[in-house]
Amino acid sequence: MADSNKSSWKEALKSKDAFADFITDYFKEHKELTGSYDIPSYYEHYTVHLDSHDGIVITLITGVNQVGESAASALPFKQKETMSIEDFRNLILHKKFADQDMSLADVFQTVAGVPDSDDI
C-alpha cells in the first residue's frame, strides 16, 4: 500500500463517518484483502471483505503442514469473524495501531491473528 494510503486511513480514523467512507471506498476498489503466513509446519491464510449486511468479514484458515508419505492430512480450520466498521475503528484506536508505522493491510493481518514473519 502506498505511503499516502498509510496516512489517509490514519487521518480518517479521527472521524466515525470519514473512516466508514474510507473503508467503503477501499473495498469498492480492492473487493478483498488477502494475506498469509507460512512456516514448514503451520499456515494461516486470511481474507477480508466488506459485506453490506455483516460489515467487515475476516475469514481465517489455519492448518498444519504435514510431511512424509505416512502423514495423515489434517483438515484446515476455518474461522469467520464479523465486525462493524465502527467496531473496527475503535479496535484500531484502542490497540494504538495508528501510532505505529503500519499499513491498513498490517492492521487487518494483526486483527486476523496472523503472526508477523519477523516474530519467528
Side-chain angles (χ1 to χ4, degrees), residues 10 13 28 48 57 60 88 102 108 114:
K10 290 179 183 182
L13 275 173
K28 278 182 187 172
V48 183
V57 179
L60 181 65
F88 181 59
M102 296 179 81
F108 277 121
V114 178

Side-chain angles (χ1 to χ4, degrees), residues 21-117:
D21 289 344
F22 179 87
I23 292 294
T24 301
D25 290 345
Y26 177 88
F27 282 106
K28 278 182 187 172
E29 183 178 332
H30 296 93
K31 303 293 181 215
E32 182 176 82
L33 177 70
T34 61
S36 64
Y37 169 78
D38 250 312
I39 60 174
S41 61
Y42 177 80
Y43 65 88
E44 294 184 355
H45 302 281
Y46 72 93
T47 60
V48 183
H49 71 274
L50 188 62
D51 181 277
S52 60
H53 180 260
D54 292 328
I56 295 172
V57 179
I58 301 171
T59 304
L60 181 65
I61 298 172
T62 58
V64 176
N65 291 324
Q66 297 189 348
V67 294
E69 291 179 25
S70 62
S73 181
L75 294 174
F77 176 71
K78 184 176 182 180
Q79 183 178 356
K80 182 175 165 183
E81 182 171 334
T82 60
M83 68 177 69
S84 71
I85 294 172
E86 180 58 11
D87 286 347
F88 181 59
R89 184 177 84 92
N90 284 316
L91 179 65
I92 293 171
L93 291 170
H94 177 70
K95 295 285 187 179
K96 309 243 185 288
F97 295 132
D99 297 339
Q100 301 172 22
D101 186 28
M102 296 179 81
S103 70
L104 187 60
D106 295 333
V107 174
F108 277 121
Q109 176 176 322
T110 303
V111 171
V114 178
D116 188 332
S117 58

